[in-house]
Amino acid sequence: MVIGCAAMMRPGVKTEGVQWLVRTVAGLRDSGVNAFLAVAGGGDNQEACTEYATEMLGDACVFTGPVERDELPGFYSALDIFAFPGIRESVGMVYLEAQACGVPCVATDDLGAPRVVEHGETGLISPVDEAAFAEAVSRLAGDE
């Protein structure tokens, strides 16, 4: 199962969101789920995020770096789940882009994501809590 996101890994909540996702995938793997993390995007903290993920997941992750806009549909289509907390995210075009490729999303109820991800229909919305976010990803991962 491939779980991933597209994000600009800037200092602050963007990096924090990627770290939530890394820990979520690590937790799934610890519980026996054959999960792989894929992250597209760049930013000042891309190297630090990549190192963190490699420490937590070994070779069960890939960071592609920036992806050209016209190539993003191919990235999204390779995912089974798009998951990103979207902490203080106004709307989050990435959720719309992933859904346009038929990929279910997991996000938090912070600000804009609930406007574009319909809970129970196009994905799951969790409270802004890392454990609740991880539970939502796990629930979706177990839903064929």
Side-chain angles (χ1 to χ4, degrees):
M1 162 158 306
V2 181
I3 302 168
C5 72
M8 287 303 299
M9 289 162 263
R10 296 186 294 265
V13 294
K14 296 288 189 174
T15 295
E16 183 180 344
V18 171
Q19 292 171 339
W20 276 29
L21 184 54
V22 168
R23 289 189 293 269
T24 295
V25 172
L28 285 170
R29 292 180 61 77
D30 288 346
S31 69
V33 176
N34 185 15
F36 184 88
L37 174 66
V39 178
D44 292 342
N45 284 359
Q46 178 187 349
E47 185 176 331
C49 287
T50 303
E51 289 173 5
Y52 181 74
T54 302
E55 287 174 18
M56 298 281 295
L57 301 169
D59 62 358
C61 64
V62 65
F63 281 67
T64 68
V67 174
E68 294 294 326
R69 179 154 295 287
D70 63 338
E71 295 177 9
L72 276 172
F75 173 79
Y76 291 125
S77 295
L79 303 177
D80 295 299
I81 299 170
F82 181 91
F84 191 70
I87 303 164
R88 294 195 299 266
E89 188 80 42
S90 61
V91 171
M93 291 301 295
V94 292
Y95 303 113
L96 293 170
E97 293 168 349
Q99 290 172 103
C101 294
V103 180
C105 297
V106 177
T108 67
D109 63 3
D110 195 17
L111 298 177
R115 293 183 178 141
V116 295
V117 177
E118 188 175 349
H119 183 73
E121 293 295 322
T122 62
L124 298 176
I125 298 291
S126 82
V128 183
D129 173 81
E130 187 171 347
F133 175 79
E135 175 57 35
V137 174
S138 178
R139 182 174 149 210
L140 196 55
D143 184 350
E144 303 236 354

